Structures are given as C-alpha cells and as structure tokens.
Amino acid sequence: VGRIEPDEAEALLARDGADFVAMARKLLADPELPNKLANGRPEDVRPCIYCYTCVGNIFLNESTSCAVNPATGREREFAIEVAETAKRLLVIGGGPAGMEVARVAALRGHCVTLCERANRLGGTLRFSSLVYPENARLVLWLETQIRKLPVELRLGTAVSADFVERFAPDAVVVAVGAARSPSAIPGADRSNVFDGDDLRALLGGGDSEAAVHKLAWPQRALLGAGRALGLSQHFDLARSLSRVWMPLGRRVAIVGGGLVGVELAEFLLERGRDVSVLEASGNFAAQMAPPRRWRALHHLRAHAVELLSDVEVRGVDDEGVRYVDAEGVPRTLAADSVILAEGTGPNRELLRAVEGLAPEVHAIGDCDGVGYIAGAILDAAVLARRL
C-alpha cells in the first residue's frame, strides 16, 4: 500500500512480491480504475497527482474531496447528464479548466470548439510538470479525453472579439489562465532576475524573447539548439536535461514562498543549487494541503534551504537581494540568480472584450481568481454541468 501505480502493482503481483495491492487515493481520483484496467483502457484512468488534498481535508475537518475529480464525495451532485438543448460552445484556453469544461460539455452533448493560442494543450500546468512531474500525467489524461471526444480542437489560435463575433457561439467560456503583474521591486529588470514567464520561456519552450536576451551568448546558443531539436516539447527529457544545465547560477534566491516558490525550491535543490526563499507573510506554501506542505518544508529545511519569513524585499542589485528581516533589520542575501515567484492574479482582459458577444459568457479557472489545479477543475466541472 502507498503510492503504487497500476503497472507497478502488476509487476509486484507477477513476481510474487505481494498477494494483493491496496489503493485509496487513486480510487478517489478515479473509482472506475479497476474496470478501466480490466477493459484494456489504462489511458482513460484519471491519475492521482498525489497533492494530498484528500488526506489534507482530515486535518482541516472537511469532507473528502479530490483536486482532479470534483465528483469525489459529491457523486449525485456531479453526475454527467445529457443536456436538454445542445449548444454551440466556444472554449478559450487549453489549460486544465478549459480542457475539463470542454470534456464534460462534450459528454453532455454540446458542440464544443476549444481554442488554444499555443501549439499544444496544457497551459501553465504543462510547464509546472517540469517542477512537479505528477502534473504531466493530468495534462496527458485531459488531452487524451479531449481527443477521444467530438471536440473541435484549434491549436495555435489566438481568440479576439472579432473571432467571437464571427464564430457566433451560444456560449463562450474564457479559461485563459492568470496574468502576471510587472514587479515593482527595484532591480526586477536585471538580467539575472527571472519571473514565471521567463522560466517558462527558458525551460519550457515559451515565447518570451525578453527572457532569452537576458542570457549570455553561450547560453542562448544552448537554448536555441534545444529548441531546434524540440527538447522543450518533451518534458521528461527537459526535466532530465535540467539536471545537467539550466540558465541559473549556483546561488538562487526565490522571492515568494507560496506553492510555486516552494515547489521551485525543491526542484532547484535537486539540481544542486543553493536556494533561499523569501516570503512576506509568516507562512510558506499556504496553498498546499497540510501533509504535502509539512513534507516539503521539512525536506527543504533538512537540506539547508534558507526559509526567510516576514520579510520585505527592497530591491535587487549587484550584491544580491536587499530586504528587511522580521526584526526590521536591513540585510542583503547574496544571489547569482533571482526568481520572482509572486505577482499572479486574475486575467479578465479578454473576458471584458467578449462580454455581450454571445448569449452566455463565462470565466473559469485562474483568469477569474487564482485557485490552482483544484480550483480550475472545480470551476470547470460546475459550469459544464450548468450549461
């Protein structure tokens, strides 16, 4: 028992390593797992991403729930029923919220078109799988389900108000993800300072040329070669190669100790970096479920990652990150590279542009308020059953 995948379970049984295998979290993520495996459909098993949302609810005195399966514990409420009237639905954004709303709406009989401006599905979730590999399986599962259903998929398609007017849908769902505000920290524009968009461009094949220009020419050459070979398209390979080379110095300071900052700290620690995390509040990774948060913070502290809370970052200069500590004392943290892991918020620009262009216009996921995977999937699940 304990985090055993189906193929591992089969191998255990085959070599008499076990008489039976117990699964709990995986059956909360997909209670049909045994039937799907018995029917030869392993690709249809919704994966557990081991986020501990289900286990964490015990410590919060809340009922059982699952980040990837909103029907867990609410099976009657979240039954998928055929819609009374089939609608022409335009979904804008191919991240987890967009894919889930398209999936359920198609199962209900709606005519769904899903547009994604990038050339692949997944959105920020795809990039986050570099840092947290379990997320990659959720991207693959959602994409597999979308491609099995009668969903018209338009990749590399940026949607505007004119596009919506020409398309003339019955309903529009905006699921374009969060927006990142420019940092007000003095020195944030330095060549050794990177935000989430920069990292996505450098490690995940994003389209930010500004990030590329922050690199020295040998680094640009390596990055260009990787892009030409399509390495950034293969996240398992990109994750492995990141152990050999990344465009970051040895000493890395992460500004922002939320879920993203803590996951980044774990990722960089495993790649030999000396990591420090600066957090304005008194709590690190407050968005994580308690058991996962405890494990992550214990792991970081056990490996000498400096976790600085209740600090105010004043700027970045040649010496490093200047900040005021919890006692009000000005200090400087030496750093070769600085990552800004904060500043994301709602992204309602497109929503405002398309409002009134269809009988129904909805916003879900992080573009309507950052809720991470669980929030995005739940938003999509609720809306898809209301359409």
Side-chain angles (χ1 to χ4, degrees), residues 121-179:
L121 293 169
T124 302
L125 183 63
R126 178 177 286 274
F127 169 68
S128 73
S129 68
L130 265 175
V131 176
Y132 188 70
E134 285 79 359
N135 288 348
R137 294 187 300 155
L138 180 58
V139 173
L140 178 60
W141 180 80
L142 284 166
E143 183 171 0
T144 298
Q145 303 313 301
I146 289 294
R147 294 187 182 277
K148 282 190 171 188
L149 291 166
V151 173
E152 182 188 6
L153 189 57
R154 300 190 186 184
L155 298 178
T157 302
V159 175
S160 63
D162 289 342
F163 181 101
V164 174
E165 282 189 302
R166 293 193 305 271
F167 193 85
D170 298 313
V172 175
V173 179
V174 180
V176 293

Side-chain angles (χ1 to χ4, degrees), residues 45-63:
V45 175
R46 183 190 286 108
C48 171
I49 60 172
Y50 303 110
C51 63
Y52 292 91
T53 293
C54 54
V55 180
N57 282 1
I58 297 171
F59 299 93
L60 302 175
N61 199 28
E62 295 181 0
S63 59

Side-chain angles (χ1 to χ4, degrees), residues 121-361:
L121 293 169
T124 302
L125 183 63
R126 178 177 286 274
F127 169 68
S128 73
S129 68
L130 265 175
V131 176
Y132 188 70
E134 285 79 359
N135 288 348
R137 294 187 300 155
L138 180 58
V139 173
L140 178 60
W141 180 80
L142 284 166
E143 183 171 0
T144 298
Q145 303 313 301
I146 289 294
R147 294 187 182 277
K148 282 190 171 188
L149 291 166
V151 173
E152 182 188 6
L153 189 57
R154 300 190 186 184
L155 298 178
T157 302
V159 175
S160 63
D162 289 342
F163 181 101
V164 174
E165 282 189 302
R166 293 193 305 271
F167 193 85
D170 298 313
V172 175
V173 179
V174 180
V176 293
R180 184 175 301 279
S181 304
S183 176
I185 297 174
D189 57 347
R190 292 173 60 90
S191 62
N192 66 329
V193 180
F194 305 93
D195 62 17
D197 293 333
D198 292 333
L199 290 180
R200 190 174 300 114
L202 299 177
L203 301 178
D207 57 2
S208 174
E209 290 305 315
V212 176
H213 286 299
K214 290 185 176 183
L215 305 180
W217 74 263
Q219 294 176 319
R220 291 188 202 177
L222 281 171
L223 187 66
R227 286 182 171 181
L229 295 171
L231 301 183
S232 60
Q233 306 288 330
H234 304 282
F235 275 63
D236 287 339
L237 180 56
R239 192 181 305 112
S240 298
L241 291 175
S242 69
R243 295 180 181 276
V244 179
W245 177 84
M246 284 192 302
L248 298 173
R250 182 178 61 83
R251 300 171 300 176
V252 181
I254 299 173
V255 179
L259 179 150
V260 173
V262 168
E263 285 188 346
L264 273 171
E266 289 188 291
F267 173 76
L268 293 171
L269 175 65
E270 292 173 358
R271 282 147 184 82
R273 274 19 182 218
D274 297 331
V275 184
S276 302
V277 185
L278 301 97
E279 167 58 30
S281 74
N283 295 313
F284 289 92
Q287 304 86 356
M288 283 185 178
R292 184 176 166 214
R293 176 177 180 267
W294 298 332
R295 184 205 61 77
L297 296 182
H298 172 76
H299 177 69
L300 293 178
R301 291 186 176 115
H303 289 83
V305 170
E306 194 172 16
L307 300 175
L308 304 170
S309 61
D310 295 304
V311 305
E312 180 186 350
V313 175
R314 293 287 180 85
V316 182
D317 58 24
D318 290 341
E319 302 300 318
V321 180
R322 298 195 180 276
Y323 69 97
V324 176
D325 69 15
E327 283 72 43
V329 178
R331 298 186 182 278
T332 299
L333 176 66
D336 302 310
S337 301
V338 179
I339 298 175
L340 305 179
E342 58 182 9
T344 56
N347 181 11
R348 300 191 178 99
E349 183 178 350
L350 183 60
L351 174 65
R352 290 191 290 267
V354 302
E355 280 182 325
L357 299 182
E360 295 181 52
V361 177

